[in-house]
Amino acid sequence: YTLREYLQVAAIIGGTAIVSMGKKKGSGSSSSMVGVAYIVLSLVLDGVTAGFQKRLKEETKKAGVKPKPYDFMFWTNLYMCLTAIIISGALNEIGPGLAYCSANPEIFSKIVKFAVCSAVGQSFIFYTIANFDPLILSTVTTTRKIFSVLLSIFLKGHSLSMTGWSGIALACSGILSEMALKMGGKAKAH
């Protein structure tokens, strides 16, 4: 990757982190160090995951196999499900969870809606993983987060501090810079 591409991703991710920390909250509340640690950990794990995905795609390409989006999706969800079952079993949460669902049957329709929305969203994510490089995926997912915040502000009337708006400006500058680079490359190709 070029220095410009690293700077674009840093601007997008940094802007998103600033937005998360710059949301207006009730009086007296502030961002905690635990929250910042979670953001940093999330970004580190995104980088580690991207490296594994890229290596997996290179190895399968050498073997003459092109991974399909639903292969990634199936195996990821299978291991996530097994992990969730093991952790909830270890924490003794399976019984209380089932009891809650039994006592509140109206939650099933919400669970189904959430699952369908999750599956549709994951289809797009895993398509991007299978067909593009990790940098594109990082840009797509972070851009989605920025637009979710903007939609929340404009449709729901939520507010954002000046710090939050500066984070949006930083992230948007990274997105626009990436778009300009891509558009410039396509114009030269023609």
Side-chain angles (χ1 to χ4, degrees), residues 45 75 87:
L45 292 176
W75 290 108
I87 291 172

Side-chain angles (χ1 to χ4, degrees), residues 41-55:
L41 181 63
S42 172
L43 296 175
V44 167
L45 292 176
D46 277 350
V48 169
T49 302
F52 280 124
Q53 289 168 344
K54 189 170 187 171
R55 192 172 73 203

